[in-house]
Every structure is written in structure tokens, then in C-alpha cells.
Amino acid sequence: MKFKVQQLGILGMTIAIGSIVVSCSSSKVSQCANIIKVVNQTVTDTKDITAAGTKGDVATIEKLAGIFEKAAKDLDSVSLNDERLKTYRGQFLAMYKGATDINKQLVASIKERKTTKVYEGLRKSRATFSPEQDLATGLTQYCKEPEK
């Protein structure tokens, strides 16, 4: 019976040491999770609002500006130590802040009935989001890499 108690003690120590190691090394994992959570929520919110299309609807475009503004604030509040994650965050922040500004300009252009500015804003919007897929893929791949 004494042998089994020793085995349980060793198993308990192994679990305790393992959880300490995991908690110390999970900083990258938790930082990744926090960034990915904000990005995924932004994508979900955007899809929900644009599911039926925008069709120049000022209210929808204003909601999109609010979503991107919130995403930028949420991302900015994520605490990061990892330099590469800071770079990804900076790139997403630039995209979300740019999208916020563009959507606000689109609303103003639509209200002023300035068609040329509307088309220019739409072009800028496409350009702002063109790196989104590469950013998301890069972030996902980096977060899958084991910590060094």
C-alpha cells in the first residue's frame, strides 16, 4: 500500500510541476488567444451587420465604424510582451483605425451626395482590408508555433 501512496505523491508532484511550467509558458498562448478573440469578434459583428449588404445605408456604415472603433480600443487594451504579437496588433490596429476613418468619411460623403468621394472611400476601404487575410493567416500560424 505504501508503494501506491508514493506513486500518487509522484503523480501529484508531476501534475503540479507541469501546471507551473504550462502557466509560465502560456503567456504567448494567452496573448494569442486575446488578440484572436478581438479579431474574431470583429469579423462576426461585421458579418452580422452586413449579412444583407449595406447598399449605401448610412446607419449600417455608421455601425461598422463603431465596430472598428471598438475593435481598435479592445486590441489596444490587450497586454502583450511578445514582440511579434505587438507587430500583428499594430497592423490590425492600423487596419481598424483606417476603416473607422474611411467609414466616417463615407457617411459624410453619402449625406453630402458626393458620388466621387463615395467611390474613392469604397476604393480606400478595399485597400485597407486587402492585407486582412494575410494578417489573420500569419497570426494563426505564429500562434500555432511552439514557444522557444
Side-chain angles (χ1 to χ4, degrees), residues 1 5 12 15 36 39 45 51 61 69 74-75 81 97 101 104 114:
M1 194 60 150
V5 171
I15 291 171
I36 290 170
V39 171
D45 292 348
I61 297 169
E69 193 167 33
D74 290 349
L75 262 183
N81 298 324
K97 287 178 181 180
D101 293 342
K104 287 179 179 180
K114 295 188 176 181

Side-chain angles (χ1 to χ4, degrees), residues 31-99:
Q31 291 174 53
C32 282
N34 290 335
I35 291 176
I36 290 170
K37 179 181 176 185
V38 172
V39 171
N40 284 344
Q41 186 61 54
T42 305
V43 170
T44 300
D45 292 348
T46 302
K47 283 183 178 180
D48 288 347
I49 287 179
T50 60
T54 58
K55 300 178 184 98
D57 178 21
V58 172
T60 301
I61 297 169
E62 286 173 333
K63 287 178 187 176
L64 288 171
I67 288 171
F68 299 131
E69 193 167 33
K70 181 183 182 310
K73 286 179 185 174
D74 290 349
L75 262 183
D76 211 21
S77 70
V78 172
S79 178
L80 299 175
N81 298 324
D82 187 291
E83 290 304 315
R84 200 150 159 208
L85 289 176
K86 286 179 183 180
T87 300
Y88 280 115
R89 175 178 61 188
Q91 292 170 326
F92 276 107
L93 277 171
M95 186 174 63
Y96 292 147
K97 287 178 181 180

